[in-house]
């Protein structure tokens, strides 16, 4: 993700990419060269008074430490999700982020299609919101070696949808139910994870949200949201690779949907960094902050527990 | 068409199919048995005072004679299009249809999709109407032996679109241009006809209409209309055989469009006969009458002449 | 439903509607007149040796008794769903239906869109089937007085989806989870029922199925199925009222989806009765039999229990 | 267009924008500052041996002179269309472009949707190509003062479609018919131009192409191509602003189509400049050259003449 965010930062008006910090010197030099930045150590970067903000795109287990150092140095921080896989650690560090300009990398909040959907839901296009259906299907399963440090399907993957649910519902989920299978790759199962899941959230007022996840769709990167309300429904559909359609005797064929997240969410990543420029310059409140990371992680833990125990988990139980 | 209309008449509330007149006794008996009617001669049917209306579905060269006899007998008449292939004959007979309850079989005026389009155009959904695009592509070319008595592409096939154009434009075409090729079946060309054509109509006020025709689409029965106005456009699209869509790695596939006119226009044929019931009972004015047949035929002749002469034909020239 | 099925029977080749049995003499006479049948008592109808089959469309609490009598009289039986709301009674009566020609009214198995979907799933269009998403949203809530005798949302409404799930999954659900709210009409809640639900089924091999239900969509009768497999997905979408689309400055507008079940499923009801003709004549095995009614009802009971207890219910627990 | 092409050149790998030549010093300085280039005179730029190529984006009446100077200086040339409005001048200058690396700005040849369509047509997706339908509707009419120097609808606007037709047909049009009206803005008519046109092209082998043009659609920038062949049809549809759809009681609403050419064709402009980089470096043959400009202009003149004379114009007549 550092490649994506760095390149976007280098092109964003109002931002200048000054340093590239990477423990692998070669990688640091290559990226620095490509973006007009300098390779540097984290200390160098954080002590440079001209540096206003930091993009934390390290490995997941470094996110929290890096972010803490940057915040301590008074920098605005963009941090890739998740903050950390350990909810206890994340909760313990929370006080130190108070008042910080901290943007968490829930990029889907910046996707133009989902933003258009939210704008219309908030404007009452479907009346009172009653339920959501979120589809998040990855095109192809990750290599097995990725699984052990991933945090598992719910913390690594579903967490995006849990954040979307919170963002759209306008009310915190009060109960969680999740069930899952290992249908895609038995190796994932041997490593203790699942690859196909359905999650149901319920808010105190009774709003419902279903999340559909699989690690391998077989047809591209399926990213859809449907919202149902008292006066109708609204849906954000998939993005096709082109608009071409062929009609023949046996039917109509059209282009596949977007291949993967770099293709589908390119615009959201650009918009996210442009938003971070605004946050760093003090002109905008972060679209998603530390507390959003805590809440999504707590929901992901509740999903894991629900799956294990075969019952609804109340969010109070996890706090 | 007699089979279709007869079966519909037998099922239409307010109509009873009393007689089947067919020069082939076997065919008459079979259809009579299927619909609860009796085989009869035309004379018998026309002299029965209980008969209120007649469906003329004979061969094209009999339409005008049959219709004239039925009108003379005081019956309401439904007549398949075209009235006749010879504009002179049709014009000569016109006075004898004055005051008659005469419904011409331009079934597309009864199609629910095209009716919905017209209703919205007339309600101003696209502002002031400026132009039309009509697509009428047959799935597969007729057998060559059909060509010599067909009247040619324009009188046999385009005539439906010429009627649609008149119906929707709200103004008579003043000029016609047509060009055509023989691309589908060289045998059609050897018989002096064409199989692929484009026609452009222009009204006195400058409204434009393009008609796209082919005898063989290779993908089903393509029936579409687009109307463009000062405030937008409206389109009636094709009807798919089902709503199923498959997404795979190489794209999306959907069902073919309707196969042919019996499938695509089944509902229009039912609605047309139901309308005839209203006409026969004196409760409705025919949706398309003798004058509409004359006008469409004159346009078809103008198309033929334009194609031959490579120039715009003014409708005054044809009258 | 008697009106719908009776009218279809009267029009189905190979069937003749002989008697109409209705405790309300006026209703019996009216329908008999409209279909060419005679009003009769149940006894009369069942003792007539010319009667080969019976359509049971009485009130739900009469279904089982009527069906039992008809089976005892040696007739083929079509029975509206559900067989009964009481699983115990249904199980107790099951032995008496052994060997009977008994077709249960799960009409969606006859819907051409869902049949096309199933045919392609079975043909391997999406590889190995892994999960389903079934949307069944009613356009508008029933009047409150209907609720007390309805059996509740799961037995009255979800039961159709439970049958679709069984039909498509090719494997029995082993576990059920359901959660629900009363968001549409508080009166439904006061009567002890719910109006908005999400159900998750899981088979022994790990296949998952989500069912989405609401009593009031606000946008028509939303009937969709998505099936996900190892090689892609397949979806049966909604049927629109027409194909007309308007494009203007503020966007595109299209026709609403089908209004309600009589409109959306008209073709399935016709096909169901045509299938019953085949069953009655001994030329086809029922597409859905008594055991399918038992299984769907057991699943609906499991849904109710899961909702009450906030946990996954194993199907063994309900048997 | 200079703004668009200059910004793209500044971002294209393999290109560096060295000079900005603009008779308005302020404009030159502003753009130079934004792109890291220097303001310069044309002479300076053309005599700099480090300059490998020139983007000619001046006013239409300067295109030919500028391009000639750049070619004479041995530079690769990208030239905005049209080369000139006067076919005689363009033909007279043609010999001086022989051997030049000259890319004409028919950007639609670089649009990914139209490229996908052409790729599939060329691969035989619709069998033998028989006819085309090209829709090119501008969102809103230009200000009247633009009309007198525009060259008129056919040379200014239809010319893009004439190039698309040549590109896709794989065969030169042999005959042209055009008819047009002034329906959008009477001021356009007073200035001697038209704003709504239909053009029909016919090749020697009988292939047909219809072009639909209007200066004001009222619903965005309608850019579609349909190609019909012996085995089916292929269509490139409009691009919507987002994928969101709302379903309510009165129907479905979706986002508008792309607003205008900067939005719809942004990707084609980028790809065109990237292609020019390849041309300038001698690694690619221009996708459209001087001869394409000549051919499209000759067709546009034939359109004008056909419209005036109300008849088919053979392309031989114009050469």
């Amino acid at each position: 993700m550092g490649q994506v965010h760095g390149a976007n930062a280098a092109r964003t008006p109002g931002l200048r990419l000054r340093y590239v910090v990477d423990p692998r010197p070669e990688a640091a030099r290559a990226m620095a060269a490509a973006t007009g930045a300098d390779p540097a150590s984290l200390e160098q970067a954080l002590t440079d008074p001209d540096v206003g903000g930091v993009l934390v795109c390290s490995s997941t287990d470094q996110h929290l430490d890096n972010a803490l150092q940057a915040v301590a140095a008074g920098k605005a921080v963009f941090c890739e999700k998740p903050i950390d896989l350990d909810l206890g650690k994340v909760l313990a560090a929370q006080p130190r982020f108070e008042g910080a300009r901290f943007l968490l990398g829930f990029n889907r909040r910046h996707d133009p299609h989902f933003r258009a959907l939210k704008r219309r839901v908030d404007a009452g296009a479907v009346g009172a919101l009653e339920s959501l259906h979120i589809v998040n299907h990855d095109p192809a399963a990750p290599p097995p070696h990725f699984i052990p440090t991933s945090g598992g399907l719910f913390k690594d993957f579903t967490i995006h949808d849990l954040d979307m649910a919170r963002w759209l519902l306008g009310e915190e989920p009060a109960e969680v139910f999740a069930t899952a299978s290992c249908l895609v790759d038995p190796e994932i199962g041997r490593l203790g994870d699942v690859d196909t899941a359905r999650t149901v959230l319920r808010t105190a007022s009774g709003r419902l949200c279903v999340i559909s996840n699989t690690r391998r769709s077989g047809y591209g990167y399926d990213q859809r949201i449907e919202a149902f309300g008292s006066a109708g429904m609204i849906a954000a559909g998939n993005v096709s690779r082109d608009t071409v359609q062929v009609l023949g005797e046996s039917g109509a064929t059209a282009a596949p949907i977007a291949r993967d997240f770099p293709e589908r969410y390119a615009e959201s990543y650009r918009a996210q960094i442009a938003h971070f420029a605004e946050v760093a310059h003090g002109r905008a409140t972060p679209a998603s902050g530390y507390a959003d990371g805590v809440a999504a992680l707590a929901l992901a833990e509740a999903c894991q527990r629900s799956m294990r125990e075969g019952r609804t988990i109340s969010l109070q139980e996890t706090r």
Side-chain angles (χ1 to χ4, degrees), chain A residues 132-157:
Chain A
L132 291 178
H133 184 62
I134 300 178
V135 175
N136 179 16
H137 292 184
D138 237 352
H145 70 76
F146 166 81
I147 298 295
T149 59
S150 71
L153 184 74
F154 294 104
K155 286 189 180 174
D156 170 58
F157 191 62

Short mmCIF file of all heavy atoms in Angstrom, two decimals, chain A residues 132-157:
data_model
loop_
_atom_site.label_atom_id
_atom_site.label_comp_id
_atom_site.label_asym_id
_atom_site.label_seq_id
_atom_site.Cartn_x
_atom_site.Cartn_y
_atom_site.Cartn_z
N LEU A 132 -29.21 -3.13 5.57
CA LEU A 132 -28.13 -3.05 4.59
C LEU A 132 -27.74 -4.44 4.14
O LEU A 132 -27.83 -5.40 4.91
CB LEU A 132 -26.87 -2.44 5.23
CG LEU A 132 -26.84 -0.98 5.62
CD1 LEU A 132 -25.49 -0.67 6.28
CD2 LEU A 132 -27.05 -0.09 4.41
N HIS A 133 -27.25 -4.50 2.91
CA HIS A 133 -26.60 -5.73 2.44
C HIS A 133 -25.28 -5.32 1.81
O HIS A 133 -25.25 -4.54 0.85
CB HIS A 133 -27.48 -6.46 1.43
CG HIS A 133 -26.91 -7.77 1.00
ND1 HIS A 133 -26.69 -8.81 1.88
CD2 HIS A 133 -26.49 -8.21 -0.21
CE1 HIS A 133 -26.16 -9.83 1.22
NE2 HIS A 133 -26.02 -9.49 -0.03
N ILE A 134 -24.19 -5.83 2.37
CA ILE A 134 -22.85 -5.46 1.90
C ILE A 134 -22.17 -6.70 1.34
O ILE A 134 -22.05 -7.71 2.04
CB ILE A 134 -22.01 -4.88 3.06
CG1 ILE A 134 -22.68 -3.62 3.62
CG2 ILE A 134 -20.60 -4.57 2.58
CD1 ILE A 134 -21.95 -2.99 4.80
N VAL A 135 -21.76 -6.61 0.08
CA VAL A 135 -21.04 -7.72 -0.55
C VAL A 135 -19.58 -7.32 -0.73
O VAL A 135 -19.29 -6.26 -1.32
CB VAL A 135 -21.65 -8.07 -1.93
CG1 VAL A 135 -20.82 -9.15 -2.63
CG2 VAL A 135 -23.09 -8.51 -1.77
N ASN A 136 -18.69 -8.15 -0.24
CA ASN A 136 -17.26 -7.91 -0.36
C ASN A 136 -16.60 -9.26 -0.65
O ASN A 136 -16.33 -10.04 0.26
CB ASN A 136 -16.73 -7.31 0.96
CG ASN A 136 -15.23 -7.06 0.94
OD1 ASN A 136 -14.62 -7.04 -0.13
ND2 ASN A 136 -14.64 -6.87 2.12
N HIS A 137 -16.44 -9.52 -1.94
CA HIS A 137 -15.87 -10.81 -2.37
C HIS A 137 -14.55 -10.54 -3.07
O HIS A 137 -14.51 -9.83 -4.09
CB HIS A 137 -16.83 -11.51 -3.35
CG HIS A 137 -18.10 -11.98 -2.71
ND1 HIS A 137 -19.05 -12.70 -3.40
CD2 HIS A 137 -18.60 -11.84 -1.46
CE1 HIS A 137 -20.06 -12.98 -2.59
NE2 HIS A 137 -19.83 -12.45 -1.41
N ASP A 138 -13.50 -11.10 -2.54
CA ASP A 138 -12.19 -10.95 -3.15
C ASP A 138 -12.11 -11.83 -4.40
O ASP A 138 -12.77 -12.86 -4.47
CB ASP A 138 -11.11 -11.40 -2.15
CG ASP A 138 -10.11 -10.28 -1.88
OD1 ASP A 138 -10.15 -9.25 -2.57
OD2 ASP A 138 -9.28 -10.43 -0.98
N PRO A 139 -11.32 -11.42 -5.38
CA PRO A 139 -11.26 -12.25 -6.60
C PRO A 139 -10.60 -13.61 -6.35
O PRO A 139 -11.09 -14.62 -6.83
CB PRO A 139 -10.44 -11.40 -7.57
CG PRO A 139 -9.74 -10.38 -6.74
CD PRO A 139 -10.56 -10.17 -5.51
N ALA A 140 -9.51 -13.62 -5.59
CA ALA A 140 -8.75 -14.87 -5.45
C ALA A 140 -8.12 -14.93 -4.07
O ALA A 140 -7.71 -13.91 -3.51
CB ALA A 140 -7.67 -14.96 -6.52
N ALA A 141 -8.05 -16.11 -3.52
CA ALA A 141 -7.56 -16.29 -2.15
C ALA A 141 -6.09 -15.87 -2.05
O ALA A 141 -5.31 -16.05 -2.99
CB ALA A 141 -7.72 -17.74 -1.73
N PRO A 142 -5.72 -15.33 -0.89
CA PRO A 142 -4.31 -14.98 -0.68
C PRO A 142 -3.48 -16.26 -0.55
O PRO A 142 -4.03 -17.33 -0.28
CB PRO A 142 -4.34 -14.21 0.64
CG PRO A 142 -5.55 -14.71 1.35
CD PRO A 142 -6.54 -15.11 0.30
N PRO A 143 -2.17 -16.16 -0.74
CA PRO A 143 -1.33 -17.34 -0.53
C PRO A 143 -1.39 -17.75 0.94
O PRO A 143 -1.49 -16.89 1.82
CB PRO A 143 0.08 -16.85 -0.91
CG PRO A 143 0.02 -15.36 -0.82
CD PRO A 143 -1.40 -14.96 -1.09
N PRO A 144 -1.35 -19.05 1.21
CA PRO A 144 -1.52 -19.53 2.60
C PRO A 144 -0.57 -18.85 3.60
O PRO A 144 -0.96 -18.60 4.73
CB PRO A 144 -1.23 -21.04 2.49
CG PRO A 144 -1.61 -21.38 1.08
CD PRO A 144 -1.27 -20.18 0.26
N HIS A 145 0.67 -18.52 3.17
CA HIS A 145 1.60 -17.95 4.15
C HIS A 145 1.13 -16.60 4.68
O HIS A 145 1.61 -16.12 5.70
CB HIS A 145 3.01 -17.83 3.55
CG HIS A 145 3.12 -16.79 2.47
ND1 HIS A 145 3.17 -15.43 2.74
CD2 HIS A 145 3.17 -16.90 1.12
CE1 HIS A 145 3.25 -14.75 1.60
NE2 HIS A 145 3.25 -15.63 0.61
N PHE A 146 0.19 -15.98 3.98
CA PHE A 146 -0.36 -14.69 4.44
C PHE A 146 -1.29 -14.87 5.64
O PHE A 146 -1.47 -13.97 6.46
CB PHE A 146 -1.09 -14.03 3.27
CG PHE A 146 -1.97 -12.88 3.65
CD1 PHE A 146 -1.45 -11.60 3.87
CD2 PHE A 146 -3.35 -13.05 3.82
CE1 PHE A 146 -2.27 -10.53 4.21
CE2 PHE A 146 -4.18 -11.99 4.16
CZ PHE A 146 -3.63 -10.73 4.37
N ILE A 147 -1.91 -16.05 5.73
CA ILE A 147 -2.99 -16.26 6.71
C ILE A 147 -2.53 -16.06 8.17
O ILE A 147 -3.17 -15.31 8.92
CB ILE A 147 -3.63 -17.66 6.51
CG1 ILE A 147 -4.26 -17.76 5.10
CG2 ILE A 147 -4.64 -18.00 7.60
CD1 ILE A 147 -5.43 -16.84 4.85
N PRO A 148 -1.43 -16.71 8.60
CA PRO A 148 -1.11 -16.67 10.04
C PRO A 148 -0.95 -15.26 10.62
O PRO A 148 -1.30 -15.02 11.77
CB PRO A 148 0.21 -17.46 10.13
CG PRO A 148 0.16 -18.39 8.95
CD PRO A 148 -0.53 -17.63 7.87
N THR A 149 -0.44 -14.30 9.85
CA THR A 149 -0.27 -12.94 10.38
C THR A 149 -1.39 -12.00 9.97
O THR A 149 -1.33 -10.80 10.24
CB THR A 149 1.07 -12.34 9.88
OG1 THR A 149 1.04 -12.31 8.44
CG2 THR A 149 2.26 -13.17 10.33
N SER A 150 -2.41 -12.53 9.31
CA SER A 150 -3.46 -11.65 8.77
C SER A 150 -4.45 -11.19 9.82
O SER A 150 -5.15 -10.20 9.63
CB SER A 150 -4.23 -12.39 7.67
OG SER A 150 -5.05 -13.41 8.25
N GLY A 151 -4.54 -11.93 10.91
CA GLY A 151 -5.58 -11.62 11.90
C GLY A 151 -6.84 -12.41 11.66
O GLY A 151 -7.78 -12.36 12.46
N GLY A 152 -6.88 -13.15 10.55
CA GLY A 152 -8.09 -13.92 10.23
C GLY A 152 -9.05 -13.11 9.39
O GLY A 152 -8.96 -11.88 9.31
N LEU A 153 -9.98 -13.83 8.77
CA LEU A 153 -10.89 -13.19 7.81
C LEU A 153 -11.59 -11.96 8.37
O LEU A 153 -11.69 -10.94 7.69
CB LEU A 153 -11.95 -14.22 7.36
CG LEU A 153 -12.92 -13.74 6.28
CD1 LEU A 153 -12.23 -13.69 4.92
CD2 LEU A 153 -14.16 -14.64 6.19
N PHE A 154 -12.07 -12.05 9.60
CA PHE A 154 -12.89 -10.94 10.11
C PHE A 154 -12.07 -9.68 10.38
O PHE A 154 -12.50 -8.58 10.07
CB PHE A 154 -13.64 -11.39 11.38
CG PHE A 154 -14.66 -12.45 11.09
CD1 PHE A 154 -14.42 -13.79 11.42
CD2 PHE A 154 -15.85 -12.13 10.47
CE1 PHE A 154 -15.36 -14.77 11.14
CE2 PHE A 154 -16.80 -13.11 10.20
CZ PHE A 154 -16.55 -14.44 10.53
N LYS A 155 -10.87 -9.85 10.96
CA LYS A 155 -10.05 -8.66 11.27
C LYS A 155 -9.32 -8.12 10.04
O LYS A 155 -8.98 -6.94 9.98
CB LYS A 155 -9.03 -9.01 12.36
CG LYS A 155 -9.66 -9.14 13.74
CD LYS A 155 -8.58 -9.25 14.81
CE LYS A 155 -9.21 -9.38 16.20
NZ LYS A 155 -8.20 -9.62 17.23
N ASP A 156 -9.07 -9.00 9.10
CA ASP A 156 -8.30 -8.58 7.94
C ASP A 156 -9.19 -8.06 6.82
O ASP A 156 -8.83 -7.12 6.12
CB ASP A 156 -7.49 -9.78 7.41
CG ASP A 156 -6.84 -9.49 6.07
OD1 ASP A 156 -6.08 -8.52 6.00
OD2 ASP A 156 -7.11 -10.23 5.10
N PHE A 157 -10.36 -8.65 6.67
CA PHE A 157 -11.13 -8.45 5.44
C PHE A 157 -12.52 -7.86 5.75
O PHE A 157 -12.89 -6.81 5.24
CB PHE A 157 -11.24 -9.81 4.74
CG PHE A 157 -11.78 -9.77 3.34
CD1 PHE A 157 -11.10 -9.08 2.34
CD2 PHE A 157 -12.95 -10.43 3.00
CE1 PHE A 157 -11.58 -9.04 1.05
CE2 PHE A 157 -13.43 -10.39 1.71
CZ PHE A 157 -12.75 -9.70 0.73
#
